[in-house]
C-alpha cells in the first residue's frame, strides 16, 4: 500500500484509538477549519452509493479493503465499513453547477478511513476521481506507540485544484498534524457547531455576494471602531438572518419578506444591509452615530431610549433583533412574546446583563459565557419560545446566537403564558430594587397589556444606558493637567534613586487607583511605565523593559518630531537616545508641524 507520510503521536497520548475517530469526525464535518478555501461541508447518510459503482480495479479494491474485491451482495447487505457522503462547499464557487463530494468509508475494525472523491452534475450523473483516493490509518508501532499514516493510491496521478482537491504536500504537512493534535487535545465543545441551523452552501453564496457588495464600507468608516471587524461581522450576521428568513419563507409558504426592528442597533449597518436586501424595518438606539448620516433616507434609524414597557411593543413586526444589545438582551424574548403571538426574535448576547443590572454568576462549573447563554435560553423558554442555539461565523469571541421562531404553548393559552412570563420577570428583580406592582402584571384577560393604568410597570427598575457615553479613562483630561501629574511623579522617582545614572530603578508602590490612573495615562506618555503595580521611569536604552514598546506599531512619518521629548526637557541627564533615533523633538529647532493626513468624514450616501 503506497504510504505517502506518517507522524508519531507523543508518548502522553493514551486515549487512542477512540479519539482518532473524534479527530476524523472534525475533518469530515468541519473541513474548513483546516482548508481555509472551504466554507464548510454537509454530511449525509449514504443512500445506496457503493464503491463498486466506481468500477474500481482489483488494485484499487485492495487499497480500500486490504483484501481485494468483496462480493457485491456482501457490500449491499453486510458492508465492512460505515459509509457517508460529504459535500464540500467552497467559499467561492468555481465549479458551476457541479458539486464535489467524497464517499467516506470508515473501517472501524482496521482503524482507517478512506476518502473516495466524486463529482455530481446537475442531472445527478456521478463521476469518481479514482486518482484522488486517499486513506488515513491509525497504526500501533509498539506497546505504547501510535502513528498516523497517509496512504495515497496513485501519488503520481493526483489531481489538485487547490480548493476541493488539496495538494499532496498539504495533506502531509497540514492535515496529518492537525488530526494528531485533535486526537491528543480533544475536548467536547460547550456550544453547537457553526451554522448548524442553516444550509452551508446557501450561506456561503449569500455571504460572498454581500461581502463584495458592502466591502466599500471599510474605506469610508467614520467611527473610531475597527472597520474591518465591524463591517464584515455585520455582513456575516446579515447573511445569517437573510438565509434564515429565506428558509422560513419556503417552510411556511410565505411570499412577503419579513419585517424587523433592531433594538440597540449601534452603528446601524445591520439595519442598512437588511433594508437594502428588501426587508422592511428600522433600528433604535439611545445614541446617534456619525455613520447614520451616510446611509441615506431608505435606512430608518431612530435615536430613542428603549425601556421595556407597553410603549415598546411591536405588534406589526415579524422579528426583533438584538445584536450585542447589552442591557436589552434578556428583555428581547419578553418584548417579542408580548408584542404578538407571531413575533419572533434573534439575539446575539455579548455583555452579561440581567433584567435589572449586571448578571451575577451562579454556577462555577460552567464558563461565564456558557452560563449566560443558558440564562438567556431560560428567559426565552419562560417567555414561551421554543429556543434554538447556533454559532455564527464572525470575527468575535461571542458568536453564539439564540433564535425563537415558535411558541411552546397554544394560542388559547396566551393568558396563562403571560402570567408565567410575568412571574419569571418578577423573580429576577433584586430584593433591594424598585418594587414592581405585581397586581398589574399579567391580569389582562385577553393577553394584551394596553389597559394597565401603569403603562411601564413591567419594566420598572430597568436602567437604560446614558445618552451621552461616559468616558471612563484619562483620554479627555486637559493636556496641562496630564503633564503636571507626570512631572510630579517623575520628580518623586528621581528623588528616590541613588547611584542610578538614569533614575530608572526608582519605584513607587502605589495604590490600585493610582496605578490605574498611571496605566491610563501611559497610553499617551513616554516617560513613565507601570509594571506589577509599581511606577517606574522608562529606560529607553533597554527597549525590552517596556511593555508599551512591545505593542508599539509603525509610526506614521508625518507624526515624527511633532511633540517635545519629555526626557530632553525634564530629565537631569537629558534623553538617552540620539536626536536622530528619538521620535520626539529635542528643542525648538527639532520641532516640526504634523503632516499626518486627517481622517476624513465621508458623508456621501451609500446606495
Amino acid at each position: 500500500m503506497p504510504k505517502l507520510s506518517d507522524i508519531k503521536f507523543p508518548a502522553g497520548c493514551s486515549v487512542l484509538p477512540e479519539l482518532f475517530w473524534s479527530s476524523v469526525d472534525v475533518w469530515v464535518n468541519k473541513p474548513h477549519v483546516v482548508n481555509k478555501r472551504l466554507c464548510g461541508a454537509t454530511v449525509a447518510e449514504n443512500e445506496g452509493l457503493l464503491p463498486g459503482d466506481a468500477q474500481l480495479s482489483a488494485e484499487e479494491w485492495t487499497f480500500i479493503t486490504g483484501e481485494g474485491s468483496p462480493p457485491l451482495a456482501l457490500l449491499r447487505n453486510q458492508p465492512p465499513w460505515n459509509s457517508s457522503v460529504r459535500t464540500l462547499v467552497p467559499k467561492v464557487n468555481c465549479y458551476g453547477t457541479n458539486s464535489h463530494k467524497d464517499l467516506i468509508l470508515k473501517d472501524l475494525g482496521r482503524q482507517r478511513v478512506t476518502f473516495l472523491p466524486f463529482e455530481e452534475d446537475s442531472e445527478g450523473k456521478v463521476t469518481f476521481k479514482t486518482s484522488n483516493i486517499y486513506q488515513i490509518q491509525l497504526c500501533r508501532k509498539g506497546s505504547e506507540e501510535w502513528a498516523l499514516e497517509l496512504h495515497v493510491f496513485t501519488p503520481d496521478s493526483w489531481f489538485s485544484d487547490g480548493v476541493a482537491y488539496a495538494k499532496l504536500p498539504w495533506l502531509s504537512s497540514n492535515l496529518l498534524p492537525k488530526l494528531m493534535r485533535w486526537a491528543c487535545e480533544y475536548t467536547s465543545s460547550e456550544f453547537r457547531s457553526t451554522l448548524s441551523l442553516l444550509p452551508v452552501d446557501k450561506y456561503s453564496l449569500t455571504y460572498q455576494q454581500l461581502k463584495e457588495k458592502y466591502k466599500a464600507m471599510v474605506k469610508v468608516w467614520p467611527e473610531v471602531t475597527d472597520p474591518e471587524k465591524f463591517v464584515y461581522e455585520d455582513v456575516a450576521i446579515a447573511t445569517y438572518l437573510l438565509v434564515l428568513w429565506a428558509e422560513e419563507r419556503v417552510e411556511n409558504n410565505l411570499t412577503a419578506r419579513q419585517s424587523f426592528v433592531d433594538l440597540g442597533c449601534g452603528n446601524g449597518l445591520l439595519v442598512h444591509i437588511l433594508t437594502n436586501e428588501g426587508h422592511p424595518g428600522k433600528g433604535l438606539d439611545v445614541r446617534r452615530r456619525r455613520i447614520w448620516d451616510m446611509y441615506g433616507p431608505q435606512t430608518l434609524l431612530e435615536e430613542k431610549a428603549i425601556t421595556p414597557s407597553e410603549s415598546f411593543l411591536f405588534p406589526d413586526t415579524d422579528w426583533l433583533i438584538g445584536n450585542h444589545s447589552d442591557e436589552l438582551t434578556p428583555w428581547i424574548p419578553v418584548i417579542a412574546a408580548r408584542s404578538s403571538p407571531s413575533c419572533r426574535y434573534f439575539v446575539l448576547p455579548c455583555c452579561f446583563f440581567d433584567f435589572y443590572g449586571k448578571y451575577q454568576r451562579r454556577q462555577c462549573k460552567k464558563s461565564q459565557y456558557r452560563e449566560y447563554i443558558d440564562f438567556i435560553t431560560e428567559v426565552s423558554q419562560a417567555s414561551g419560545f421554543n429556543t434554538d442555539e447556533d454559532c455564527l461565523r464572525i470575527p468575535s469571541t461571542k458568536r453564539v446566537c439564540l433564535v425563537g421562531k415558535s411558541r411552546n404553548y397554544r394560542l388559547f393559552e396566551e393568558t396563562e403564558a403571560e402570567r408565567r412570563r410575568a412571574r419569571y420577570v418578577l423573580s429576577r428583580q433584586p430584593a433591594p430594587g424598585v418594587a414592581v406592582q405585581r397586581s398589574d402584571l399579567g391580569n389582562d384577560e385577553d393577553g394584551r397589556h394596553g389597559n394597565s393604568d401603569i403603562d411601564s410597570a413591567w419594566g420598572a427598575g430597568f436602567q437604560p444606558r446614558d445618552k451621552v457615553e461616559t468616558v471612563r479613562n484619562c483620554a479627555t483630561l486637559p493636556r496641562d493637567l496630564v503633564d503636571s501629574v507626570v512631572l510630579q511623579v517623575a520628580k518623586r522617582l528621581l528623588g528616590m534613586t541613588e547611584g542610578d545614572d538614569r533614575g530608572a530603578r526608582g519605584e513607587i508602590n502605589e495604590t490600585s487607583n493610582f496605578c490605574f490612573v498611571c496605566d491610563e495615562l501611559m497610553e499617551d506618555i513616554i516617560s513613565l511605565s507601570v509594571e506589577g503595580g509599581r511606577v517606574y521611569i522608562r529606560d529607553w536604552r533597554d527597549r525590552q523593559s517596556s511593555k508599551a514598546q512591545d505593542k508599539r506599531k509603525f509610526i506614521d512619518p508625518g507624526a515624527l518630531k511633532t511633540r517635545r521629548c519629555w526626557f530632553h526637557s525634564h530629565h537631569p541627564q537629558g534623553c538617552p537616545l540620539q536626536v536622530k533615533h528619538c521620535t520626539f523633538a529635542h528643542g525648538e529647532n527639532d520641532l516640526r508641524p504634523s503632516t499626518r493626513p486627517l481622517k476624513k468624514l465621508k458623508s456621501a450616501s451609500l446606495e
Side-chain angles (χ1 to χ4, degrees), residues 326-331 351-362 372 375-376 428-430 433 459-464:
D326 296 345
E327 69 274 8
L328 286 172
T329 298
W331 285 103
C351 300
F352 307 140
F353 282 89
D354 206 325
F355 288 103
Y356 302 103
K358 287 287 188 178
Y359 178 77
Q360 302 297 321
R361 295 197 64 182
R362 292 170 173 80
Y372 188 68
F375 164 62
I376 301 300
R428 303 297 303 186
Q429 182 147 16
F462 172 78
Q463 293 294 327

Side-chain angles (χ1 to χ4, degrees), residues 30 32 192-197 200 390-393 399:
K30 304 176 183 179
H32 57 279
R192 296 281 299 271
S193 299
T194 58
L195 310 179
S196 61
L197 301 180
V200 178
D390 204 354
C391 192
L392 304 187
R393 197 168 290 172
R399 302 186 297 131

Side-chain angles (χ1 to χ4, degrees), residues 515-529:
C515 286
F516 168 76
V517 172
C518 287
D519 266 328
E520 294 293 338
L521 292 175
M522 275 293 304
E523 294 294 326
D524 200 34
I525 292 175
I526 65 169
S527 56
L528 300 181
S529 172

